[in-house]
């Protein structure tokens, strides 16, 4: 198995062996063109918000940058938003310049680990720049691990530890007693070199849930899907396959697939806290994970979670071990929720203090205020989000 220096799969390993020299040439050509275009777009989005003037006709050229925003409160303005990439604040600058005249507080959720010193060094410089140019805004990082918090605070950031898997909805992801187990394991992982799907190929009966966010060209996505389909007649892609591509599964359908499996898999070497790891646990699945950065192990318990070496044979052995333990699903779910609930209360207390400090008259939070990860990640352009926020009018009380 050929991997890059971060333990990720190469493109060639993702799409598998290709017999046709012409198809191989076509795939490589499309891939290189897609990579080049992707790099240009990424580079522009990363640098543009910081390079634009703060006023004048050119100041709003970053309005097309897409980000996910959830407005927790309009008055005072408190915004929850995921961040990531090599310049994690680029999307915050894009929306922040459109709200520069308003007092606002941003809760920043790292969707990719900040345990990367070279990224955090740039982050410190960008934080200083942001504070100088948007003095009415406050940025608070909701870090997935204590080490992430340490790195952020060391460069001048304000941060608490609040793992983003707290946001996963236990109402959607739950045990379904009437669903029979058909698979030894399930792996919910997008089409990405970071996800290392090959590590699951030795599992005898395997369900894949997968989707594309455009990391590969469509031809690469199709080759990847063909590779998964060719592994074994006992392996199945749960998504509908439409024109060779994986279609969308609703969250309730994803939960049903989880319930058809004995074990959930987490196979990346580094990412964010990996929402599907919490989805497995809330559905009552034990988990096999590789060692990782990002914070997905915060809610793991050694009674029903095994950290296995990133080797297909080791993953299979760990899956069989947990499958054979047959731990009741309600036990895994209940023990997981016992870890989740006190951390949710801590975040609610923190938010209540923020509201009070910002002059809100609302009572302290008594109920969990977040609607679940899908609603929290409503993607739109910075321009669209800012327009909705500024146009918001609170409901008037009935006479």
């Amino acid at each position: 198995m050929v991997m890059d220096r971060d333990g990720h799969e190469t493109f060639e390993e993702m799409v598998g062996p290709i017999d046709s020299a012409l198809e191989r040439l076509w795939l490589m050509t499309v891939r290189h063109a897609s990579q080049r275009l992707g790099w240009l777009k990424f580079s522009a989005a990363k640098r543009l918000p910081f390079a634009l003037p703060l006023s004048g006709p050119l100041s709003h050229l970053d309005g097309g940058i897409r980000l996910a925003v959830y407005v927790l409160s309009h008055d005072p303005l408190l915004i929850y938003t995921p961040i990531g990439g090599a310049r994690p604040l680029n999307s915050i600058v894009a929306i922040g310049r459109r709200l520069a005249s308003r007092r606002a507080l941003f809760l920043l959720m790292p969707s990719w680990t900040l345990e990367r010193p070279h990224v955090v060094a740039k982050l410190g410089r960008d934080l200083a720049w942001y504070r100088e140019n948007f003095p009415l805004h406050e940025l608070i990082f909701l870090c997935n691990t204590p080490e992430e918090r340490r790195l952020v605070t060391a460069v001048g950031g304000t941060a608490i530890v609040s793992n983003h898997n707290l946001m996963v909805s236990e109402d959607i992801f739950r045990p379904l007693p009437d669903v029979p187990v058909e698979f030894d394991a399930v792996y919910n992982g997008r089409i990405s070199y970071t996800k290392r799907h090959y590590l699951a190929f030795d599992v005898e009966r395997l369900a894949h849930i997968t989707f594309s966010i455009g990391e590969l060209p469509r031809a690469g996505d199709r080759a990847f899907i063909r590779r998964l389909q060719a592994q074994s007649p006992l392996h199945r892609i749960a998504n509908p396959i439409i024109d060779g591509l994986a279609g969308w599964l609703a969250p309730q359908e994803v939960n049903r697939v989880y319930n058809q499996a004995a074990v959930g898999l987490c196979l990346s070497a580094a990412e964010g806290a990996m929402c599907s790891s919490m989805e497995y646990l809330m559905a009552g699945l034990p988990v096999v994970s590789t060692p990782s950065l990002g914070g997905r192990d915060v809610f793991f318990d050694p009674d029903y979670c095994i950290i296995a070496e990133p080797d297909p044979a080791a993953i299979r052995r760990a899956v069989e071990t947990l499958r054979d333990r047959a731990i009741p699903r309600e036990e895994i779910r209940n023990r997981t929720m016992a870890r989740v609930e006190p951390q949710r209360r801590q975040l609610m207390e923190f938010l209540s203090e923020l509201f009070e400090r910002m002059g809100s008259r609302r009572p302290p939070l008594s109920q969990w205020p977040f609607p679940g990860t899908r609603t929290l990640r409503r993607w739109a352009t910075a321009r669209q989000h800012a327009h909705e926020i500024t146009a918001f009018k609170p409901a008037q009380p009935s006479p």
Side-chain angles (χ1 to χ4, degrees), residues 173 186 188 208-211 236-240 246-258 260 374:
F173 300 101
V186 57
N188 186 348
H208 283 286
I209 301 169
T210 194
F211 55 97
R236 179 166 71 84
I237 300 174
N239 308 68
W248 182 69
L249 276 184
Q252 291 80 5
E253 295 170 317
V254 169
N255 183 61
R256 187 170 186 85
V257 178
Y258 290 163
Q260 293 174 324
R374 182 165 180 81

Side-chain angles (χ1 to χ4, degrees), residues 78-129:
L78 201 156
I79 295 169
Y80 173 94
T81 180
I83 57 169
R87 297 286 290 274
L89 295 188
N90 71 318
S91 61
I92 307 304
V93 177
I95 191 169
R97 75 168 69 251
R98 291 161 174 79
L99 303 171
S101 62
R102 295 185 59 174
R103 187 184 182 200
L105 191 149
F106 291 85
L107 298 172
L108 310 180
M109 185 280 287
S111 59
W112 193 269
T113 181
L114 293 179
E115 293 185 39
R116 297 181 290 168
H118 66 287
V119 171
V120 175
K122 293 178 186 174
L123 176 64
R125 295 191 290 270
D126 290 344
L127 275 170
W129 180 92

Side-chain angles (χ1 to χ4, degrees), residues 98-302:
R98 291 161 174 79
L99 303 171
S101 62
R102 295 185 59 174
R103 187 184 182 200
L105 191 149
F106 291 85
L107 298 172
L108 310 180
M109 185 280 287
S111 59
W112 193 269
T113 181
L114 293 179
E115 293 185 39
R116 297 181 290 168
H118 66 287
V119 171
V120 175
K122 293 178 186 174
L123 176 64
R125 295 191 290 270
D126 290 344
L127 275 170
W129 180 92
Y130 193 96
R131 286 171 178 149
E132 179 181 351
N133 289 288
F134 303 101
L136 295 181
H137 295 176
E138 183 176 354
L139 308 181
I140 298 178
F141 292 79
L142 303 182
C143 293
N144 290 309
T145 65
E147 176 62 12
E148 197 168 68
R149 178 184 181 275
R150 186 192 69 78
L151 289 169
V152 170
T153 55
V155 296
T158 302
I160 65 169
V161 177
S162 183
N163 189 285
H164 76 59
N165 283 348
L166 295 176
M167 308 300 171
V168 174
S169 171
E170 68 273 23
D171 296 327
I172 294 175
F173 300 101
R174 55 193 175 86
L176 300 174
D178 60 328
V179 175
V181 174
E182 302 176 32
F183 301 98
D184 297 319
V186 57
Y187 187 31
N188 186 348
R190 70 182 182 273
I191 300 174
S192 171
Y193 66 98
T194 66
K195 290 294 187 176
R196 306 196 297 188
H197 290 77
Y198 75 92
L199 290 174
F201 285 171
D202 279 5
V203 174
E204 185 176 4
R205 299 176 302 158
L206 178 66
H208 283 286
I209 301 169
T210 194
F211 55 97
S212 173
I213 61 170
E215 292 183 36
L216 296 185
R218 287 205 160 197
D221 287 341
R222 288 189 175 93
F224 175 82
I225 292 296
R226 290 197 300 270
R227 186 190 186 206
L228 292 189
Q229 291 172 322
Q231 287 309 304
S232 166
L234 300 180
H235 289 192
R236 179 166 71 84
I237 300 174
N239 308 68
I241 305 301
I242 303 166
D243 190 26
L245 300 170
W248 182 69
L249 276 184
Q252 291 80 5
E253 295 170 317
V254 169
N255 183 61
R256 187 170 186 85
V257 178
Y258 290 163
N259 277 269
Q260 293 174 324
V263 177
L265 297 178
C266 305
L267 303 178
S268 57
E271 56 175 295
M274 189 180 178
C275 291
S276 56
S277 68
M278 177 59 81
E279 294 170 4
Y280 298 150
L281 294 171
M282 286 182 170
L285 271 65
V287 171
V288 169
S289 172
T290 58
S292 64
L293 286 178
R296 69 175 177 236
D297 57 347
V298 166
F299 297 99
F300 285 0
D301 186 299

Side-chain angles (χ1 to χ4, degrees), residues 20-51:
S20 165
L22 185 61
E23 183 181 1
R24 189 182 307 112
L25 176 62
W26 164 247
L27 264 181
M28 296 306 292
T29 302
V30 170
R31 179 215 175 194
H32 287 309
S34 176
Q35 275 187 321
R36 182 64 180 167
L37 179 60
W39 181 87
L40 290 171
K41 292 167 109 177
F42 171 79
S43 183
K46 180 174 71 172
R47 295 179 172 86
L48 182 63
F50 299 96

